[in-house]
Amino acid sequence: MKYTQIERAVQERMRPGHITALGLLGDDQRPVADIMQADSEAFSRLGMDFDQVADLLEHLRSAGQDGLGEPITVDNRYLVSTGDARGVLPCPWNDGVHHKNAITVQDQRSGRTIIYSDLSIHLLRVHHFCQGKGSPFRLDPDTLAAIL
Amino acid sequence: MIDFLYGPLITAGLAAGLALVIVVLDAIVNNYGDVKIDINEGQRSYTVRGGANLLGTMAAEGVFVPSACGGRGSCGACKVRVLSDVGPHLPTELPYLSAEEVTQNVRLACQIKLKKDIAIELAEELFSVKKFQSTVSSIKTITHDIKEAVFRLDNPGEIEFMAGQYVQLVVPPYGTFKESVQRAYSMSSKPGDRQAVELLIRLVPGGIATTWVHQFLKEGDRVELVGPFGEFHVRDTTAAMVCVAGGSGMAPFKSMFYDILQNSSYPEKEIWYFFGARSGRDMFYLDELRQLETLLPRFHFVPALSEPSSDDKWTGETGLITDVLERFLKERIGTAKGLEGYLCGSPGMINACTTVMTRNGINLEKIYYDKFA
């Protein structure tokens, strides 16, 4: 498969040690475009909309911040913890920077957990990129469907 | 017979020749020779080999500027004001700098390549920062997500610091991580215990440093620490201290309170300590701090749970720590000698507590904290 120059640069910036020490691809060997296509198909299959999911993740982040750094129950269903780190993370598509943080949402109904950041929300909303399989910050469509 | 080898041999020869040319050109073009680093207009001066970044070069000379990412340009912590011309700000620096910092030519030390003499401004406290080789002497599980780790200092063997300051833990490459990173943690040990440093480290899901501490670090491991850093310390006044923390934000306060007890210092200071947690499993050091109340009668400990479970059988304060703080500021804490705020926690917690404190008569300039994020 041939990559464009932009795709090559984006894929490179997603590798460990560029934007984050872990990278955004996990152990996923597929090209970014293939990951995005597969996840977009999964979103369609599950009847989910990227903007709506991003809105929900933002809602959980905002409500979680009321816990002042401690876990807090949100909507009588989710246990949300928010943590902040020093600095910002640039988007691999070079269209902005985002506060470095980690939001952990544990769904007390299904027992499933997702971890995401401000950058994750941007990647989902703007680029429809859920991160590669094995990335701790991956927003797996099936998990999102079960949780949200 | 061997004609088929000519092609590959010629190609290999050309490639080797080209590589040689690149090496020679690189040595010529990128040879910046010796450059001079002037700090604080002659206060200190170093002549170093040019070509590397300012952050790493200064560290090699024993001058340590705080950095959380180890020089990868992703934390924005290593700010220095540059007094000489080093060219325009790089796109990699600008996201971390305010308009005022750009005007004052504040730069990220990790992004400045030393090509010629440079003059910079540095806080004097940074001259006392050292890199310590240490050995992990104990790791205790304090709660389900907090570890208490003690590092015995090997070289240098002692550290001088003020209660409330922090060190940077140097996390070596481990597992799939190929690069070393540094993370800041407040010291929970007393300044009087100079041969060791104690840290409280809360697990952050997906966090490089905290995962290393919680899952990989073990007693006997050799670890590097850099410090001390920070402006968070007890002010020598008679005003009452109103302290608020949650989680591993306990660390600097533990150091402060036991230091005050050990030295009988600030005898006129009343101390109020508000500690917030969600439920009983997140609460810790309760017995120690209750004991401290008996040893130091002017110390008042107010733990609070925001979502206690029935199993907790909690009889103490409940609600968000800001609500508890507001209630005590209105009803219990005397203001005769004035009040000072001391905070350690997330930016959200610091902002929320600052709002409550200023609404209840604590001047903004008397609210102290170290911003870690």
Side-chain angles (χ1 to χ4, degrees):
Chain A
M1 178 177 176
K2 284 191 175 178
Y3 294 93
T4 66
Q5 199 170 349
I6 292 173
E7 284 172 339
R8 261 201 303 273
V10 167
Q11 183 111 13
E12 191 56 34
R13 282 194 284 270
M14 288 183 180
R15 295 197 188 288
H18 290 265
I19 291 170
T20 68
L22 283 166
L24 308 179
L25 296 171
D27 48 17
D28 205 323
Q29 301 298 315
R30 294 173 296 167
V32 170
D34 290 2
I35 296 172
M36 290 165 67
Q37 188 180 339
D39 286 337
S40 282
E41 286 168 6
F43 261 65
S44 299
R45 172 173 50 82
L46 295 162
M48 295 193 300
D49 174 84
F50 283 100
D51 275 326
Q52 283 176 350
V53 172
D55 287 345
L56 271 167
L57 296 177
E58 281 184 351
H59 158 69
L60 291 171
R61 178 198 59 193
S62 300
Q65 284 168 339
D66 290 343
L68 307 177
E70 299 303 305
I72 185 171
T73 303
V74 175
D75 299 342
N76 289 320
R77 176 174 174 182
Y78 305 105
L79 185 60
V80 183
S81 307
T82 59
D84 298 87
R86 200 191 284 266
V88 293
L89 296 174
C91 171
W93 276 273
N94 275 343
D95 58 353
V97 294
H98 303 271
H99 175 56
K100 203 187 281 187
N101 56 4
I103 301 121
T104 306
V105 175
Q106 188 186 356
D107 178 15
Q108 293 173 319
R109 208 175 286 169
S110 69
R112 300 176 89 164
T113 298
I114 50 171
I115 306 171
Y116 61 97
S117 66
D118 283 4
L119 175 61
S120 311
I121 297 172
H122 167 81
L123 292 172
L124 195 73
R125 186 190 294 282
V126 177
H127 302 287
H128 297 185
F129 177 61
C130 302
Q131 306 199 19
K133 289 181 179 171
S135 166
F137 283 66
R138 172 169 166 78
L139 293 169
D140 179 67
D142 288 307
T143 307
L144 287 172
I147 284 184
L148 303 175
Chain B
M1 185 71 180
I2 58 170
D3 287 356
F4 71 95
L5 286 175
Y6 289 155
L9 280 173
I10 289 168
T11 306
L14 284 171
L18 195 58
L20 187 64
V21 169
I22 290 170
V23 168
V24 171
L25 278 176
D26 184 60
I28 295 167
V29 174
N30 289 328
N31 180 7
Y32 300 101
D34 288 343
V35 298
K36 188 176 154 192
I37 304 173
D38 178 276
I39 305 177
N40 297 349
E41 297 182 305
Q43 190 178 11
R44 287 200 178 191
S45 173
Y46 302 93
T47 301
V48 299
R49 193 86 186 141
N53 72 52
L54 178 63
L55 180 73
T57 306
M58 286 203 297
E61 297 295 326
V63 180
F64 297 97
V65 175
S67 165
C69 66
R72 290 191 296 115
S74 68
C75 71
C78 61
K79 292 177 182 176
V80 296
R81 185 166 174 235
V82 178
L83 306 175
S84 57
D85 177 25
V86 289
H89 286 85
L90 301 175
T92 47
E93 296 176 275
L94 292 172
Y96 303 95
L97 302 172
S98 66
E100 189 184 351
E101 286 172 329
V102 171
T103 306
Q104 292 181 344
N105 205 27
V106 172
R107 308 294 298 261
L108 298 189
C110 69
Q111 300 297 299
I112 296 175
K113 190 172 180 179
L114 289 171
K115 298 175 181 176
K116 58 182 179 179
D117 292 354
I118 185 172
I120 63 171
E121 247 181 29
L122 268 189
E124 270 193 52
E125 304 89 77
L126 293 180
F127 296 144
S128 60
V129 172
K130 295 175 184 166
K131 181 177 271 190
F132 296 86
Q133 309 297 325
S134 74
T135 304
V136 180
S137 57
S138 74
I139 304 181
K140 290 182 196 162
T141 298
I142 300 298
T143 70
H144 64 103
D145 63 354
I146 294 179
K147 298 258 188 208
E148 176 196 279
V150 178
F151 302 85
R152 190 190 68 235
L153 302 180
D154 299 322
N155 182 31
E158 292 192 345
I159 183 169
E160 282 189 33
F161 69 100
M162 287 185 291
Q165 288 191 294
Y166 68 91
V167 290
Q168 296 209 158
L169 183 64
V170 181
V171 181
Y174 72 96
T176 56
F177 303 118
K178 306 295 180 219
E179 292 182 28
S180 173
V181 296
Q182 296 188 18
R183 291 290 185 270
Y185 296 100
S186 294
M187 289 177 273
S188 51
S189 42
K190 297 188 293 282
D193 298 340
R194 294 183 179 187
Q195 289 85 23
V197 165
E198 180 188 278
L199 307 177
L200 299 177
I201 298 173
R202 188 177 200 168
L203 181 65
V204 177
I208 297 169
T210 63
T211 301
W212 176 66
V213 169
H214 277 252
Q215 295 178 11
F216 291 81
L217 193 66
K218 56 188 187 303
E219 290 174 6
D221 282 355
R222 305 293 299 274
V223 176
E224 284 185 344
L225 304 167
V226 181
F229 295 103
E231 293 296 307
F232 190 55
H233 58 86
V234 181
R235 266 55 181 185
D236 189 5
T237 67
T238 58
M241 294 174 73
V242 180
C243 311
V244 190
S248 55
M250 170 78 80
F253 293 119
K254 183 185 177 197
S255 178
M256 288 176 177
F257 301 151
Y258 283 97
D259 186 47
I260 288 171
L261 175 70
Q262 189 173 45
N263 298 313
S264 303
S265 44
Y266 318 112
E268 292 189 56
K269 255 182 169 359
E270 287 285 315
I271 305 165
W272 290 86
Y273 181 35
F274 296 85
F275 184 78
R278 177 176 170 260
S279 61
R281 72 179 200 141
D282 304 300
M283 187 60 77
F284 61 104
Y285 288 159
L286 271 183
D287 292 342
E288 289 91 333
L289 291 166
R290 292 283 183 228
Q291 171 75 2
L292 186 61
E293 278 187 311
T294 64
L295 298 171
L296 195 64
R298 57 199 166 90
F299 173 70
H300 315 281
F301 178 44
V302 187
L305 295 184
S306 56
E307 296 181 16
S309 70
S310 54
D311 293 344
D312 291 334
K313 297 182 173 55
W314 181 251
T315 56
E317 299 290 333
T318 55
L320 281 177
I321 200 65
T322 40
D323 298 336
V324 178
L325 171 67
E326 179 128 40
R327 206 158 58 235
F328 272 70
L329 280 169
K330 287 189 188 312
E331 299 169 5
R332 298 280 302 274
I333 301 176
T335 57
K337 292 183 178 175
L339 300 174
E340 293 168 345
Y342 293 80
L343 307 171
C344 188
S346 67
M349 177 271 208
I350 286 172
N351 291 340
C353 289
T354 299
T355 301
V356 171
M357 286 180 164
T358 52
R359 192 162 59 212
N360 288 278
I362 304 181
N363 291 332
L364 191 59
E365 63 271 20
K366 290 189 176 173
I367 299 173
Y368 308 109
Y369 51 86
D370 260 332
K371 265 194 173 170
F372 285 106

